[in-house]
Short mmCIF file of all heavy atoms in Angstrom, two decimals:
data_model
loop_
_atom_site.label_atom_id
_atom_site.label_comp_id
_atom_site.label_asym_id
_atom_site.label_seq_id
_atom_site.Cartn_x
_atom_site.Cartn_y
_atom_site.Cartn_z
N CYS A 2 -4.71 1.88 -11.79
CA CYS A 2 -3.31 1.57 -11.64
C CYS A 2 -2.85 1.83 -10.32
O CYS A 2 -2.20 0.92 -9.56
CB CYS A 2 -2.47 2.51 -12.61
SG CYS A 2 -0.69 2.33 -12.45
N GLN A 3 -3.26 2.95 -9.67
CA GLN A 3 -2.89 3.24 -8.30
C GLN A 3 -3.44 2.28 -7.21
O GLN A 3 -2.86 1.81 -6.25
CB GLN A 3 -3.26 4.59 -7.89
CG GLN A 3 -2.51 5.68 -8.64
CD GLN A 3 -1.04 5.75 -8.33
OE1 GLN A 3 -0.64 5.81 -7.18
NE2 GLN A 3 -0.23 5.81 -9.38
N PHE A 4 -4.71 1.95 -7.57
CA PHE A 4 -5.34 1.01 -6.70
C PHE A 4 -4.70 -0.44 -6.67
O PHE A 4 -4.44 -0.98 -5.64
CB PHE A 4 -6.91 0.85 -7.10
CG PHE A 4 -7.77 0.18 -6.25
CD1 PHE A 4 -8.33 0.82 -5.11
CD2 PHE A 4 -8.16 -1.20 -6.44
CE1 PHE A 4 -9.16 0.21 -4.27
CE2 PHE A 4 -8.99 -1.87 -5.48
CZ PHE A 4 -9.47 -1.17 -4.40
N CYS A 5 -4.31 -0.91 -7.80
CA CYS A 5 -3.62 -2.08 -7.86
C CYS A 5 -2.23 -2.11 -7.20
O CYS A 5 -1.81 -3.05 -6.54
CB CYS A 5 -3.43 -2.49 -9.30
SG CYS A 5 -4.94 -3.12 -10.19
N LYS A 6 -1.55 -0.96 -7.31
CA LYS A 6 -0.23 -0.81 -6.66
C LYS A 6 -0.52 -0.88 -5.16
O LYS A 6 0.27 -1.54 -4.48
CB LYS A 6 0.45 0.46 -7.01
CG LYS A 6 0.98 0.49 -8.34
CD LYS A 6 1.63 1.78 -8.68
CE LYS A 6 2.21 1.80 -10.16
NZ LYS A 6 2.86 3.04 -10.52
N ALA A 7 -1.50 -0.33 -4.66
CA ALA A 7 -1.88 -0.39 -3.26
C ALA A 7 -2.19 -1.76 -2.76
O ALA A 7 -1.75 -2.25 -1.73
CB ALA A 7 -3.01 0.64 -2.95
N LEU A 8 -3.03 -2.43 -3.59
CA LEU A 8 -3.39 -3.85 -3.28
C LEU A 8 -2.12 -4.78 -3.31
O LEU A 8 -2.04 -5.73 -2.51
CB LEU A 8 -4.50 -4.31 -4.13
CG LEU A 8 -5.93 -3.67 -3.95
CD1 LEU A 8 -6.82 -4.13 -4.95
CD2 LEU A 8 -6.36 -3.78 -2.54
N GLU A 9 -1.23 -4.51 -4.19
CA GLU A 9 -0.10 -5.33 -4.31
C GLU A 9 0.78 -5.20 -2.99
O GLU A 9 1.15 -6.18 -2.33
CB GLU A 9 0.83 -4.87 -5.45
CG GLU A 9 2.19 -5.57 -5.52
CD GLU A 9 3.26 -4.86 -6.18
OE1 GLU A 9 2.98 -3.90 -6.85
OE2 GLU A 9 4.43 -5.44 -6.16
N ILE A 10 0.87 -3.94 -2.54
CA ILE A 10 1.67 -3.65 -1.36
C ILE A 10 0.93 -4.24 -0.12
O ILE A 10 1.50 -4.98 0.69
CB ILE A 10 1.90 -2.20 -1.09
CG1 ILE A 10 2.89 -1.66 -2.08
CG2 ILE A 10 2.48 -1.90 0.31
CD1 ILE A 10 2.94 -0.17 -2.19
N GLY A 11 -0.34 -4.03 -0.02
CA GLY A 11 -1.17 -4.52 1.03
C GLY A 11 -1.23 -6.09 1.19
O GLY A 11 -1.18 -6.56 2.30
N MET A 12 -1.16 -6.70 -0.01
CA MET A 12 -1.19 -8.19 0.07
C MET A 12 0.16 -8.66 0.47
O MET A 12 0.24 -9.70 1.32
CB MET A 12 -1.52 -8.74 -1.35
CG MET A 12 -1.79 -10.21 -1.33
SD MET A 12 -2.58 -10.74 -2.77
CE MET A 12 -4.34 -10.25 -2.52
N ARG A 13 1.21 -7.95 0.07
CA ARG A 13 2.64 -8.45 0.56
C ARG A 13 2.79 -8.23 2.02
O ARG A 13 3.50 -9.00 2.65
CB ARG A 13 3.57 -7.55 -0.14
CG ARG A 13 4.14 -8.19 -1.49
CD ARG A 13 5.33 -7.62 -2.05
NE ARG A 13 5.16 -6.29 -2.55
CZ ARG A 13 5.68 -5.11 -2.15
NH1 ARG A 13 6.45 -5.13 -1.10
NH2 ARG A 13 5.30 -3.97 -2.56
N ILE A 14 2.21 -7.21 2.57
CA ILE A 14 2.50 -6.82 3.97
C ILE A 14 1.26 -7.19 4.96
O ILE A 14 1.28 -6.65 6.08
CB ILE A 14 2.85 -5.32 4.09
CG1 ILE A 14 1.59 -4.51 3.70
CG2 ILE A 14 4.07 -4.94 3.31
CD1 ILE A 14 1.75 -3.04 4.03
N ALA A 15 0.35 -7.98 4.43
CA ALA A 15 -0.82 -8.31 5.19
C ALA A 15 -0.58 -8.61 6.66
O ALA A 15 -1.31 -8.05 7.57
CB ALA A 15 -1.55 -9.44 4.61
N ASN A 16 0.36 -9.41 6.98
CA ASN A 16 0.59 -9.77 8.41
C ASN A 16 1.74 -9.11 9.02
O ASN A 16 1.85 -8.93 10.25
CB ASN A 16 0.72 -11.31 8.50
CG ASN A 16 -0.60 -11.97 8.14
OD1 ASN A 16 -1.61 -11.58 8.49
ND2 ASN A 16 -0.48 -13.08 7.35
N VAL A 17 2.69 -8.62 8.20
CA VAL A 17 3.91 -7.98 8.70
C VAL A 17 4.06 -6.65 8.10
O VAL A 17 4.75 -6.43 7.14
CB VAL A 17 5.20 -8.87 8.50
CG1 VAL A 17 6.45 -8.26 9.14
CG2 VAL A 17 4.96 -10.29 8.89
N MET A 18 3.34 -5.71 8.66
CA MET A 18 3.40 -4.41 8.07
C MET A 18 4.45 -3.53 8.63
O MET A 18 4.84 -3.60 9.80
CB MET A 18 2.17 -3.62 8.45
CG MET A 18 0.97 -3.95 7.69
SD MET A 18 -0.36 -2.68 8.03
CE MET A 18 -1.81 -3.56 7.40
N ASN A 19 5.24 -2.82 7.78
CA ASN A 19 6.14 -1.85 8.29
C ASN A 19 5.62 -0.50 7.87
O ASN A 19 4.82 -0.39 6.90
CB ASN A 19 7.57 -2.13 7.80
CG ASN A 19 7.81 -1.78 6.28
OD1 ASN A 19 7.43 -0.73 5.94
ND2 ASN A 19 8.36 -2.81 5.67
N LYS A 20 5.97 0.49 8.59
CA LYS A 20 5.35 1.78 8.39
C LYS A 20 5.62 2.36 7.03
O LYS A 20 4.63 3.01 6.47
CB LYS A 20 5.85 2.80 9.46
CG LYS A 20 5.05 4.09 9.44
CD LYS A 20 5.23 4.75 10.72
CE LYS A 20 4.22 5.90 10.78
NZ LYS A 20 4.10 6.52 12.15
N ALA A 21 6.77 2.20 6.34
CA ALA A 21 6.98 2.71 5.03
C ALA A 21 6.22 2.11 3.97
O ALA A 21 5.61 2.85 3.14
CB ALA A 21 8.55 2.59 4.66
N GLU A 22 5.93 0.79 4.08
CA GLU A 22 5.05 0.19 3.13
C GLU A 22 3.57 0.48 3.33
O GLU A 22 2.86 0.82 2.37
CB GLU A 22 5.20 -1.39 3.18
CG GLU A 22 6.55 -1.73 2.53
CD GLU A 22 6.68 -3.31 2.52
OE1 GLU A 22 6.36 -3.92 3.61
OE2 GLU A 22 7.20 -3.78 1.46
N TYR A 23 3.22 0.66 4.68
CA TYR A 23 1.86 1.15 4.93
C TYR A 23 1.56 2.46 4.35
O TYR A 23 0.63 2.77 3.74
CB TYR A 23 1.68 1.14 6.47
CG TYR A 23 0.52 1.85 6.99
CD1 TYR A 23 -0.76 1.42 6.81
CD2 TYR A 23 0.76 2.93 7.89
CE1 TYR A 23 -1.85 2.12 7.43
CE2 TYR A 23 -0.28 3.74 8.39
CZ TYR A 23 -1.58 3.21 8.09
OH TYR A 23 -2.66 3.95 8.60
N LEU A 24 2.44 3.41 4.58
CA LEU A 24 2.35 4.71 4.05
C LEU A 24 2.31 4.75 2.54
O LEU A 24 1.52 5.52 1.89
CB LEU A 24 3.35 5.67 4.64
CG LEU A 24 3.30 5.90 6.16
CD1 LEU A 24 4.54 6.67 6.67
CD2 LEU A 24 1.99 6.53 6.55
N ALA A 25 3.03 3.91 1.84
CA ALA A 25 3.14 3.84 0.39
C ALA A 25 1.75 3.36 -0.13
O ALA A 25 1.28 3.92 -1.02
CB ALA A 25 4.34 2.96 -0.07
N ALA A 26 1.25 2.26 0.55
CA ALA A 26 0.00 1.84 0.10
C ALA A 26 -1.13 2.86 0.30
O ALA A 26 -1.98 2.97 -0.59
CB ALA A 26 -0.41 0.57 0.91
N LYS A 27 -1.10 3.62 1.45
CA LYS A 27 -2.09 4.70 1.64
C LYS A 27 -1.97 5.77 0.65
O LYS A 27 -3.00 6.25 -0.02
CB LYS A 27 -1.93 5.28 3.09
CG LYS A 27 -2.38 4.56 4.18
CD LYS A 27 -2.22 5.21 5.53
CE LYS A 27 -3.00 6.57 5.62
NZ LYS A 27 -4.40 6.55 5.70
N LYS A 28 -0.80 6.09 0.25
CA LYS A 28 -0.65 7.08 -0.82
C LYS A 28 -1.11 6.64 -2.11
O LYS A 28 -1.86 7.34 -2.85
CB LYS A 28 0.91 7.42 -0.99
CG LYS A 28 1.20 8.59 -1.87
CD LYS A 28 0.68 9.88 -1.33
CE LYS A 28 1.00 11.03 -2.23
NZ LYS A 28 0.17 12.18 -1.89
N HIS A 29 -0.96 5.41 -2.57
CA HIS A 29 -1.47 4.87 -3.64
C HIS A 29 -3.03 4.90 -3.77
O HIS A 29 -3.70 5.28 -4.74
CB HIS A 29 -1.03 3.47 -4.02
CG HIS A 29 0.41 3.42 -4.53
ND1 HIS A 29 0.83 4.03 -5.66
CD2 HIS A 29 1.46 2.79 -3.95
CE1 HIS A 29 2.23 3.68 -5.73
NE2 HIS A 29 2.54 2.99 -4.73
N LEU A 30 -3.64 4.57 -2.54
CA LEU A 30 -5.07 4.58 -2.46
C LEU A 30 -5.64 5.97 -2.58
O LEU A 30 -6.66 6.30 -3.14
CB LEU A 30 -5.45 3.84 -1.24
CG LEU A 30 -5.44 2.38 -1.20
CD1 LEU A 30 -5.47 1.79 0.20
CD2 LEU A 30 -6.41 1.77 -2.17
N GLU A 31 -4.97 6.97 -1.96
CA GLU A 31 -5.30 8.34 -2.01
C GLU A 31 -5.26 8.82 -3.56
O GLU A 31 -6.18 9.48 -4.00
CB GLU A 31 -4.43 9.22 -1.16
CG GLU A 31 -4.66 9.18 0.26
CD GLU A 31 -3.55 9.92 1.15
OE1 GLU A 31 -2.90 10.74 0.60
OE2 GLU A 31 -3.52 9.51 2.31
N ASN A 32 -4.13 8.43 -4.17
CA ASN A 32 -4.00 8.84 -5.58
C ASN A 32 -5.20 8.24 -6.38
O ASN A 32 -5.71 8.80 -7.39
CB ASN A 32 -2.69 8.35 -6.15
CG ASN A 32 -1.50 9.15 -5.53
OD1 ASN A 32 -1.78 10.32 -5.14
ND2 ASN A 32 -0.32 8.72 -5.67
N ALA A 33 -5.42 6.96 -6.12
CA ALA A 33 -6.48 6.26 -6.86
C ALA A 33 -7.84 7.01 -6.66
O ALA A 33 -8.58 7.31 -7.69
CB ALA A 33 -6.64 4.83 -6.33
#
């Protein structure tokens, strides 16, 4: 579940990353 949440964010922000989304994706991957 956490892995998918991270991939969802990562895919949405692939080219235009903002720090908040980047940190959210990292947190989901750590949780996973």
Side-chain angles (χ1 to χ4, degrees):
C2 174
Q3 293 294 311
F4 193 78
C5 288
K6 286 180 181 185
L8 292 177
E9 176 205 352
I10 293 169
M12 193 166 279
R13 264 192 294 117
I14 62 170
N16 294 321
V17 186
M18 284 194 194
N19 73 49
K20 192 160 190 166
E22 288 181 319
Y23 162 68
L24 294 174
K27 280 184 62 73
K28 186 66 179 167
H29 286 302
L30 287 165
E31 288 171 18
N32 289 341

